[in-house]
Amino acid sequence: MQNIENLDGIYLLRLMKEATFIFKNRKHWNKLKRVLKEEEGADPDQLSELYVRTNDDLAYSRTFYPKGESKRYLNQLLRELHYHIYRSRDVDFTYFIRYWWEILPMAIARHPIPYLTSFTFFFLSFLIGIISSAHDGEFVRVILGDSYVNMTLDNIANGDPMAVYKSSSELEMVSGITVNNIMVSFNAFTVGIFACLGTLNILFHNGVMLGAFQGFLLDHIDWKDYFFTVWLHGTLEISAIVIAGGAGIQLGASWLFPRDRSRLDALKKGGKSALVVIVSLIPVFMMAGFIEGVMTRHTEWSYFLRAVIVTLSAVYILVVYIIRPILIFFTLKKQEDEFTTSTLN
């Protein structure tokens, strides 16, 4: 009986919090309803402001009141607003901006643990590869194969350690690398359904392989030649694989730990959110493939020029996949604390 009373108390507290949320924002929602009824439409700036505000409210409601009435109401309201905005246009390119600046970072901010887990696991695997390569000279042959190692040693002896990046035509390398990387990312995502184990296996394999390769090359060539060649494309490519791994872990964790939802419902929601992230990686892999197929072969380029490319790639990953999600995460946390405080007071 005591447990039932506790559950009733928790449910009542959730209802009170949602009621506070609705009361605080209903004036804005009523204003939006009036705009939607106007035949001539509203000012574009006003519509943009209403769209962003409503989308933020919906994201908050989805996070803290996933089974509440406010989520269903705001979903419908946002669909009506979307139709109102876009009914007279075939394409609105502001959506693409909003996707990269809001929708994608929000998907990560609401589920940060899988992406942090993916990075940590990959980094530890990377360290295992480096340490093992340093302690056992034959380890790299086990991981990369004798033919690849012997080919690299021959290239080093010939004075062109990165000749492997010049072995095929630019078009052939760009297309082959891009398709392969996209397949790896989608594979890392889909096998996450198997309790995350498939994704972790892919992260471990790629992390150890990268660590062994780096340890091997740094024993034979100058670090600048290695860094500004491999990481010219690797900054985007490796980052994208780690992010895809995070999406796969999120997929598996969604049904392993459904919380207050059914496992099927949790899997649908987790998969939809993770898919937002996976789709965003397609252009990242395309750019990484272009850099590897076209630019990496130019080892005669100055270190400064290659450093600019590496820096721009790193800034893009940091801003879109790390900094923006962190800012949104703390904004949501602050809103939750404010609502909790106002409700208890």
Side-chain angles (χ1 to χ4, degrees), residues 21-283:
F21 171 70
I22 294 173
F23 180 79
K24 184 175 180 179
N25 294 282
R26 65 178 182 177
K27 182 178 180 181
H28 157 71
W29 300 341
N30 289 335
K31 178 182 177 182
L32 176 55
K33 291 291 290 185
R34 290 194 298 272
V35 169
L36 293 176
K37 292 179 181 179
E38 294 178 2
E39 293 184 1
E40 298 299 325
D43 179 76
D45 291 336
Q46 182 186 27
L47 281 177
S48 178
E49 179 183 351
L50 289 172
Y51 194 101
V52 172
R53 171 71 183 272
T54 306
N55 192 62
D56 289 343
D57 290 341
L58 176 59
Y60 185 88
S61 181
R62 282 174 173 169
T63 302
F64 301 109
Y65 316 115
K67 295 185 177 181
E69 290 298 323
S70 62
K71 188 191 77 169
R72 284 187 283 271
Y73 176 78
L74 289 172
N75 260 321
Q76 179 60 33
L77 195 60
L78 198 59
R79 280 195 293 268
E80 293 178 14
L81 177 56
H82 188 275
Y83 173 74
H84 188 87
I85 292 175
Y86 299 114
R87 63 186 175 183
S88 61
R89 287 173 283 180
D90 294 330
V91 179
D92 191 322
F93 291 102
T94 60
Y95 173 80
F96 296 101
I97 297 175
R98 194 171 65 83
Y99 174 83
W100 295 104
W101 195 247
E102 296 178 13
I103 298 175
L104 171 60
M106 177 68 75
I108 298 175
R110 292 175 63 195
H111 306 278
I113 301 301
Y115 299 93
L116 182 59
T117 301
S118 178
F119 170 77
T120 302
F121 192 82
F122 183 87
F123 183 71
L124 291 176
S125 303
F126 175 72
L127 291 180
I128 290 174
I130 291 179
I131 295 172
S132 299
S133 178
H135 283 77
D136 184 358
E138 295 300 312
F139 179 78
V140 68
R141 293 184 176 273
V142 175
I143 300 299
L144 299 178
D146 287 332
S147 60
Y148 188 87
V149 172
N150 291 334
M151 176 191 68
T152 304
L153 290 174
D154 290 340
N155 291 336
I156 293 173
N158 294 329
D160 192 2
M162 300 301 173
V164 65
Y165 295 108
K166 310 171 187 177
S167 57
S168 302
S169 67
E170 293 180 352
L171 180 60
E172 183 180 357
M173 286 196 67
V174 170
S175 58
I177 291 168
T178 300
V179 170
N180 178 71
N181 287 338
I182 291 175
M183 291 300 295
V184 169
S185 69
F186 272 86
N187 190 33
F189 167 62
T190 55
V191 296
I193 195 68
F194 302 110
C196 306
L197 296 178
T199 299
L200 293 175
N201 178 62
I202 291 176
L203 289 172
F204 179 77
H205 174 75
N206 281 273
V208 171
M209 185 169 61
L210 178 64
F213 180 61
Q214 175 167 301
F216 167 69
L217 281 183
L218 289 178
D219 281 341
H220 295 84
I221 65 175
D222 184 76
W223 72 270
K224 294 191 295 297
D225 292 328
Y226 162 79
F227 183 86
F228 290 112
T229 301
V230 174
W231 288 98
L232 191 69
H233 61 274
T235 302
L236 291 176
E237 182 180 306
I238 300 302
S239 298
I241 290 175
V242 173
I243 294 167
I249 293 173
Q250 180 184 341
L251 181 67
S254 63
W255 71 266
L256 280 175
F257 310 103
R259 297 185 180 180
D260 57 346
R261 303 189 183 102
S262 68
R263 292 191 185 276
L264 180 59
D265 185 48
L267 178 61
K268 289 180 180 178
K269 291 181 179 296
K272 182 179 179 180
S273 178
L275 192 59
V276 169
V277 179
I278 282 294
V279 170
S280 76
L281 296 178
I282 294 177

